[in-house]
Amino acid sequence: MRFADLIQLALDNLRRNRTRSLLTLIGVMIGVAALLSLMSYGAGVQFNAEREFNSYELYNSLRITSSPSIFGRFSDFATASPDLESENDDRPSVPLTDSLIATFANIDGVLAAYPEVIFPAKLKASGKSLPVQVIAIPMAFGDIPAYHPVTGNFFSAPTDTALMMAPSMARRLGYEDPETLVGQTITLETISLHINGLIRAAPAIATGLTSIPLIHHNNKVTVAGLLPEDDQPISGLVRVILPIDFAQQMQKITFFSTVDLMMRDGNAKGYMAALVQLSHPDAFPGVRQQLEDQGLFVTSFRDQFAQAERIFLIMDLALGVIGFIALLVATVGIANTMMMNVMERTREIGVMKAIGGDERDLQRLFLVESGILGVVGGVLGLGLGWGITRLVQFGVNMYLHQHGVPNLEIFHIPLWLIVAILSTALFVSLLAGILPARRAARIEPIAALRSA
Amino acid sequence: MAPVEAHGLLFSLVLSSAAWFMHEHSTMSIHPVSQKMEPFIRLANISRTYAMGATRVAALRQVSLTIDEGEFVAIVGRSGSGKSTLLHLLAALDQPTEGQLQVGTWTLGTLHPRQQARFRREMVGMIFQQFNLIPSMTALENVALPLVLAGTASDIRKTQAIDSLTRVGLRERMDHRPTELSGGEQQRVAIARALVSDPPLLLADEPTGNLDSTTGSQIIRLLDSIHRNQGRTVIVVTHHPEEVAAFADRILELHDGTFVDSSR
């Protein structure tokens, strides 16, 4: 039998039992829609993370520390192989001083080397305040597109008392039109420890009776520019960018949690970490080698991201398994429908065999019917899943918008996901059709012709 | 593997391939090359027994028969006499328990299921008491179904199916479904379906069993005209010898699985 005739015959047969075929299709649609929604959510999380990683050119970034990095340990933890050796590394630590960091810039393939300056602060304007994370960047970052302001200008000097932020930050500060904030002076509040107060309060702090005495510094800062929002949908919510020299001279504490303090060697001198931006990813092995030869510890963001991708993979697998179970239930529905079709059409199968149909033709006919249920259900299910994800995304983004947060692509549907889901739907539907198809092929024509 | 063994394996592969090729191609022609005195159908000591629980029931016992090409043969007998079993054996829908069965160049009984299907496609047109049309298909689609199964191109099969329906006088009813046709019309559609592949052998199992006597005799006359005008071999199994008496070249009566009488 020709393949086109097989398809036509299979479609005719499915149309004969419209209600049953439709109910089976709905089952497949729900299964496929569930699989698409769950997997596109996983892909969305990964997509957003990758987008930020790429826009900040983190694949070109290295973090240099005097002692083994806490980030290194986190990534080791993620792969379930904690490097306990590094905890007891007794190599003399090399202090990360300004002069040492300056030498990194001379290594071939290094675009910029600068001390890691990152600290908590509070942004205040028009009576509102937001907790933020301040990150300092060198002037060389003016070349990275993610730092090109969409409104305003990049810093003119490393000592500029200026900052850059995402438009969403401005909106959350109450500026419905973020562009109006550019050029204005706002307050960046930092904190430092009140040493005398600390001594007085020490006994009470030890027993948890009082808060740590802090000095609040209200720094006046000009908004130099607004950064592109699409490249940093998540980090843009908390991140404020300052030029390196200005950030360094600010009164501040440079840790976010006690873990930061605990990881630091009490006797260590110099900066906690330095950051090195490579001019090209290929420079990575050479630069790393030269830095490690100096007794420094190098953590690459690219390696960390690779570890994170493993976590994404685990998450994708977990979501995929849940979705696949839904599809599997639908597949049982297909098998059931096909079994009923074979039973109902026993006589017809007998007739087809009597007039020259062979076992292979009948087997293929039922497999094609089953496959059509899978593919049509798959295509419609993709449509349904797309609709569900758009609806959820619309609802979530509407809620986020009310809070000044930019639109997020919660669900990401790449082409490979569509192809993979359609192939899976086809594969499992064919699997579901095997048993009914074999049963149809093995029907004895004489017995079938005698059946009512 | 030693070279001698390898040659042996290769040789047996070549031999088996050649045997397969010769078998496949020896049965390619739809109409067998008839030689004088060579019967078209030959049954030699055919028996067919069925297991019914612990007991074995013989439907046919040591039946021998030859039928020439172009003969119109009626097989009569009461229910359970073995008529339908014989017809099923001739259509390769069933296999004999023992004996040899030859139709044209085909030796039935040892065929693989796929070869049986091919034999039915190329050699046999079947007509049933219950008409056995597919209810969801139009008359034209029902008639074209054997050609669909044979992989014939759609334009060719449409032409052939219309031609076949025209031969049974139902061209104008080709777009009707079986439920919209009378019993006699349905049986004529079934005859058109049996003829559409132009098979040399037409097997009819109680073709008038579900029809009134007038319509039944019309159907028998139609089968007779097909036999006379197209030179096809027709074998009709019936309860009613009087229906076919005027048309059949031979009437064979089966009783308890053996032939008891033959006339003409």
Side-chain angles (χ1 to χ4, degrees):
Chain A
M1 208 190 309
R2 288 165 174 240
F3 190 67
D5 292 330
L6 263 177
I7 300 272
Q8 187 58 52
L9 216 51
L11 283 172
D12 289 346
N13 288 334
L14 290 171
R15 268 190 227 117
R16 274 154 70 179
N17 254 312
R18 280 207 176 94
T19 313
R20 187 188 301 158
S21 300
L22 196 68
L23 287 172
T24 314
L25 275 180
I26 290 172
V28 179
M29 279 169 66
I30 293 172
V32 167
L35 188 59
L36 180 79
S37 309
L38 290 169
M39 292 211 67
S40 65
Y41 173 71
V45 172
Q46 188 166 355
F47 176 77
N48 285 321
E50 273 175 8
R51 193 162 66 166
E52 294 222 356
F53 182 82
N54 289 328
S55 64
Y56 286 126
E57 296 195 9
L58 289 179
Y59 49 86
N60 269 344
S61 295
L62 302 180
R63 188 170 185 267
I64 321 300
T65 50
S66 302
S67 53
S69 163
I70 184 171
F71 291 120
R73 283 185 202 152
F74 274 136
S75 57
D76 287 342
F77 174 73
T79 54
S81 60
D83 184 6
L84 296 174
E85 291 290 314
S86 59
E87 187 85 32
N88 303 317
D89 203 316
D90 53 2
R91 276 186 285 175
S93 67
V94 182
L96 279 167
T97 57
D98 280 320
S99 54
L100 180 65
I101 293 170
T103 63
F104 299 164
N106 300 327
I107 300 172
D108 203 22
V110 172
L111 179 76
Y114 57 104
E116 182 187 66
V117 179
I118 173 167
F119 57 91
K122 208 186 264 181
L123 203 56
K124 297 198 285 195
S126 60
K128 291 195 176 184
S129 71
L130 290 174
V132 294
Q133 182 190 52
V134 176
I135 288 182
I137 58 165
M139 294 304 284
F141 276 35
D143 294 338
I144 298 175
Y147 294 102
H148 290 175
V150 282
T151 313
N153 297 301
F154 190 75
F155 310 121
S156 53
T159 50
D160 266 6
T161 54
L163 60 77
M164 292 195 291
M165 62 168 93
S168 59
M169 187 85 79
R171 278 194 293 270
R172 286 162 68 217
L173 280 171
Y175 290 83
E176 273 311 308
D177 185 4
E179 292 182 7
T180 58
L181 191 58
V182 176
Q184 292 199 32
T185 301
I186 58 171
T187 305
L188 185 68
E189 182 189 312
T190 54
I191 47 168
S192 60
L193 290 173
H194 192 297
I195 305 300
N196 292 338
L198 203 59
I199 294 164
R200 284 198 298 276
I205 292 169
T207 53
L209 287 178
T210 187
S211 58
I212 297 170
L214 300 167
I215 305 170
H216 295 255
H217 308 274
N218 286 321
N219 306 281
K220 295 293 171 196
V221 187
T222 307
V223 179
L226 298 174
L227 294 170
E229 198 153 57
D230 289 346
D231 290 338
Q232 43 247 331
I234 299 164
S235 60
L237 297 176
V238 293
R239 189 171 288 187
V240 165
I241 310 290
L242 260 61
I244 184 89
D245 291 357
F246 171 51
Q248 273 185 287
Q249 69 182 37
M250 270 182 165
Q251 293 280 335
K252 60 191 177 287
I253 54 170
T254 56
F255 59 91
F256 286 85
S257 71
T258 46
V259 176
D260 291 347
L261 294 175
M262 287 166 80
M263 291 310 298
R264 196 146 196 227
D265 183 351
N267 299 318
K269 292 185 175 64
Y271 294 102
M272 198 163 169
L275 297 168
V276 164
Q277 191 71 16
L278 303 173
S279 54
H280 194 270
D282 292 345
F284 173 58
V287 174
R288 173 179 215 153
Q289 191 59 51
Q290 288 201 44
L291 291 166
E292 283 182 347
D293 286 349
Q294 296 181 45
L296 294 160
F297 293 86
V298 179
T299 313
S300 104
F301 286 94
R302 187 167 30 168
D303 288 350
Q304 281 173 36
F305 196 72
Q307 308 284 10
E309 278 187 322
R310 289 194 200 187
I311 297 172
F312 290 140
L313 189 67
I314 293 166
M315 187 176 82
D316 287 348
L317 271 177
L319 292 171
V321 165
I322 297 167
F324 188 70
I325 289 170
L327 187 57
L328 221 52
V329 173
T331 309
V332 175
I334 295 183
N336 187 37
T337 297
M338 295 312 298
M339 274 295 187
M340 286 184 73
N341 285 350
V342 172
M343 280 168 66
E344 277 181 6
R345 277 155 53 195
T346 300
R347 190 182 181 87
E348 191 179 308
I349 292 165
V351 173
M352 287 180 78
K353 281 194 162 184
I355 62 172
D358 70 22
E359 289 184 359
R360 200 176 61 171
D361 284 336
L362 286 156
Q363 202 160 338
R364 281 162 65 193
L365 177 62
F366 280 87
L367 274 179
V368 168
E369 283 180 33
S370 189
I372 287 174
L373 285 174
V375 169
V376 174
V379 171
L380 295 176
L382 284 175
L384 177 69
W386 182 83
I388 290 171
T389 57
R390 290 305 102 179
L391 207 68
V392 172
Q393 183 141 325
F394 177 74
V396 170
N397 278 335
M398 216 161 75
Y399 174 80
L400 291 177
H401 187 73
Q402 284 170 0
H403 293 81
V405 179
N407 283 358
L408 261 183
E409 191 170 349
I410 306 162
F411 301 97
H412 180 60
I413 307 177
L415 186 65
W416 69 261
L417 187 60
I418 292 171
V419 173
I421 289 179
L422 264 186
S423 312
T424 309
L426 175 64
F427 177 72
V428 294
S429 62
L430 289 178
L431 217 60
I434 287 178
L435 192 66
R438 283 169 72 99
R439 188 163 285 193
R442 285 179 183 171
I443 282 175
E444 282 296 329
I446 298 172
L449 289 169
R450 283 193 189 122
S451 68
Chain B
M1 191 186 284
V4 176
E5 282 177 71
H7 280 112
L9 182 65
L10 191 65
F11 183 65
S12 62
L13 269 174
V14 169
L15 265 189
S16 56
S17 306
W20 173 84
F21 181 84
M22 286 177 75
H23 179 82
E24 288 289 307
H25 290 79
S26 65
T27 55
M28 281 301 280
S29 70
I30 292 174
H31 297 283
V33 180
S34 73
Q35 293 171 354
K36 259 195 173 157
M37 309 305 286
E38 192 67 32
F40 179 46
I41 296 169
R42 185 202 298 271
L43 285 82
N45 302 315
I46 289 289
S47 294
R48 180 65 173 105
T49 51
Y50 297 100
M52 293 185 83
T55 55
R56 293 185 74 76
V57 178
L60 288 174
R61 305 161 197 265
Q62 298 285 313
V63 172
S64 293
L65 169 71
T66 57
I67 295 171
D68 289 332
E69 191 174 13
E71 263 197 287
F72 187 134
V73 176
I75 298 169
V76 299
R78 286 186 297 182
S79 286
S81 59
K83 324 183 284 292
S84 292
T85 303
L86 181 61
L87 208 70
H88 292 151
L89 290 175
L90 287 169
L93 288 168
D94 196 5
Q95 284 76 51
T97 315
E98 57 182 281
Q100 283 197 325
L101 174 52
Q102 183 100 17
V103 177
T105 55
W106 292 79
T107 303
L108 307 183
T110 54
L111 296 180
H112 183 270
R114 289 202 67 194
Q115 292 173 311
Q116 289 169 9
R118 192 170 151 218
F119 167 76
R120 287 192 288 270
R121 275 202 299 274
E122 295 178 358
M123 297 293 286
V124 182
M126 278 213 80
I127 302 154
F128 307 92
Q129 181 180 352
Q130 306 282 351
F131 322 135
N132 283 334
L133 299 175
I134 311 262
S136 58
M137 292 182 178
T138 62
L140 185 70
E141 287 165 345
N142 264 292
V143 173
L145 190 56
L147 300 175
V148 172
L149 294 167
T152 310
S154 65
D155 50 342
I156 296 174
R157 65 179 185 243
K158 189 174 181 187
T159 313
Q160 280 182 241
I162 291 173
D163 183 45
S164 201
L165 273 169
T166 308
R167 275 193 272 174
V168 298
L170 280 180
R171 187 193 165 115
E172 73 284 1
R173 307 283 276 163
M174 67 182 183
D175 292 326
H176 290 71
R177 292 183 198 282
T179 48
E180 298 160 351
L181 300 171
S182 69
E185 286 175 327
Q186 287 188 55
Q187 193 59 298
R188 277 151 69 192
V189 172
I191 292 170
R193 179 178 67 187
L195 292 174
V196 77
S197 309
D198 198 22
L201 176 61
L202 209 58
L203 300 173
D205 190 1
E206 308 268 9
T208 61
N210 265 11
L211 303 172
D212 60 70
S213 57
T214 314
T215 317
S217 61
Q218 285 172 354
I219 292 297
I220 293 296
R221 270 199 293 276
L222 178 61
L223 290 175
D224 177 56
S225 76
I226 290 164
H227 156 246
R228 275 187 290 107
N229 300 337
Q230 298 168 19
R232 258 176 248 275
T233 309
V234 177
I235 300 174
V236 179
V237 159
T238 178
H239 269 104
H240 311 289
E242 68 281 0
E243 269 186 341
V244 290
F247 308 105
D249 297 322
R250 267 196 292 169
I251 298 177
L252 306 168
E253 187 180 348
L254 268 172
H255 183 73
D256 285 343
T258 52
F259 286 119
V260 290
D261 186 26
S262 74
S263 58
R264 276 189 279 166

